[in-house]
Amino acid sequence: MRKKFKKDYEWLKKHIEKKFNYEVLEGTWVDERVEFEEQKVYICSRNRAETRLYTLLHEYGHIEIQEMGAADFEADHPMYYKIDDGRVERSKAARVSIVAEEIEAWKRGRWFARKNKLSLDEKKYDKHMTAA
């Protein structure tokens, strides 16, 4: 099964690079994240293949929100934390915006995995989501 996670991870990595033109970089001590301006995704290479796949699915969700559905998402979820104002960034509304986007990114990653028949243990994905 581990080989399937690795195979699916590599497939998703290539898909992100081809469809969105984002480079997926792996490093031993990187903070896992998407840098939209740089068009780079950072994944920690110390994690197991299954964990890397689930993390990359989540980051895929963020990219999809940004590149394909930002206007629709923002219409339903105002992005208060993007406003360059320290007061707004610390507000409850900003925290709710961040949580809403995080949940949506996890949902989109799960949907994408199901649609493309990628390896996905639902319970482990949920556990990874709540631990993030």
Side-chain angles (χ1 to χ4, degrees):
M1 183 70 145
R2 199 167 79 214
K3 287 182 181 179
K4 178 83 168 112
F5 288 119
K6 285 182 181 181
K7 181 181 167 205
D8 288 350
Y9 172 84
E10 290 300 324
W11 182 88
L12 178 57
K13 180 178 170 181
K14 287 177 185 159
H15 177 78
I16 289 170
E17 289 172 347
K18 184 177 179 180
K19 182 172 184 170
F20 298 109
N21 200 32
Y22 277 66
E23 185 179 9
V24 178
L25 302 169
E26 299 169 16
T28 310
W29 300 103
V30 300
D31 290 329
E32 296 173 319
R33 66 192 187 281
V34 177
E35 293 292 339
F36 296 108
E37 290 181 16
E38 298 175 13
Q39 290 189 282
K40 295 183 191 277
V41 180
Y42 294 91
I43 300 293
C44 182
S45 61
R46 290 180 295 134
N47 292 328
R48 296 178 9 249
E50 183 177 13
T51 301
R52 287 195 314 269
L53 174 62
Y54 295 167
T55 301
L56 191 55
L57 283 165
H58 172 69
E59 302 306 346
Y60 168 87
H62 282 294
I63 293 168
E64 187 178 86
I65 290 167
Q66 178 73 21
E67 299 295 331
M68 297 175 65
D72 291 336
F73 182 76
E74 289 180 20
D76 291 332
H77 305 87
M79 305 302 269
Y80 297 109
Y81 67 91
K82 290 186 177 182
I83 299 170
D84 221 7
D85 180 339
R87 293 169 295 152
V88 173
E89 290 174 10
R90 291 186 300 272
S91 72
K92 287 182 184 177
R95 290 186 296 230
V96 169
S97 294
I98 292 167
V99 170
E101 183 180 351
E102 290 299 319
I103 291 169
E104 185 66 20
W106 285 108
K107 285 170 46 179
R108 289 181 186 220
R110 182 190 312 264
W111 174 83
F112 185 81
R114 288 175 179 161
K115 178 183 169 201
N116 291 283
K117 298 181 176 26
L118 301 180
S119 303
L120 184 69
D121 179 315
E122 299 282 348
K123 287 183 181 180
K124 285 184 181 179
Y125 189 82
D126 288 343
K127 187 175 180 180
H128 188 67
M129 177 175 67
T130 57

